[in-house]
Amino acid sequence: MKLNHLNLTVDDVKASSEFLEKYFDLQVRNTRGNSFAVLIDDSGLVLTLMKGSQVTYPNTFHIGFIQESEERVNEINQRLKDDGFEVELPQRSHAWTFYVKAPGGFTVEVLS
C-alpha cells in the first residue's frame, strides 16, 4: 500500500506552497485563499497545506525529497543558498543529505 496523502499545518500557506513548487516541482491544484492549498507531485502524492496560528513540529520531524543523484542534491543545495536560505553543505550520513527550514515552519530533507 502506498502513502498518497499528507497534510501539513503551516503558518504561511502561500510561502510554503511557492517553496515546494519552486524547489521540488510540486504543482498547486487548488487553493482557498491563504488558508488552504492542495499540491500534487509527479507520483500522485497529494500534499495539503492548512493555515495554523501556532505551528510547532517536533525537532526531528521532516519531510524528504529523494533525488536521483548526489549531483542533484548539490544543485538544490546551491539554488537554496543562492536564494538566501541558510543551508549547510550536504554530508554523508545515512545518505548524501542536507536539511532546510522551509517557509511555513517545517523542515525538508534533500537526499540521495
Side-chain angles (χ1 to χ4, degrees), residues 9-11 50-56:
T9 302
V10 297
D11 57 21
M50 298 179 89
K51 174 91 169 139
S53 59
Q54 296 181 339
V55 177
T56 306

Side-chain angles (χ1 to χ4, degrees), residues 1 4 12 36 40 54 58 67 77 85-86 96 102 110 112:
M1 190 174 301
N4 56 20
D12 189 331
F36 180 77
I40 191 165
Q54 296 181 339
Q67 303 302 307
N77 182 271
F85 287 91
E86 292 183 28
W96 186 246
V110 182
S112 174

Side-chain angles (χ1 to χ4, degrees), residues 75-91:
E75 289 170 10
I76 294 170
N77 182 271
Q78 189 61 53
R79 280 185 64 206
L80 288 161
K81 278 184 187 179
D82 291 348
D83 289 347
F85 287 91
E86 292 183 28
V87 291
E88 294 186 11
L89 289 172
Q91 60 183 341

Side-chain angles (χ1 to χ4, degrees), residues 19-49:
F19 175 83
L20 293 166
E21 282 182 293
K22 181 173 184 177
Y23 298 104
F24 302 105
D25 300 327
L26 273 73
Q27 298 173 359
V28 174
R29 293 289 190 217
N30 191 11
T31 61
R32 223 177 302 145
N34 290 323
S35 63
F36 180 77
V38 177
L39 295 93
I40 191 165
D41 74 4
D42 57 3
S43 296
L45 173 78
V46 175
L47 176 64
T48 55
L49 304 173

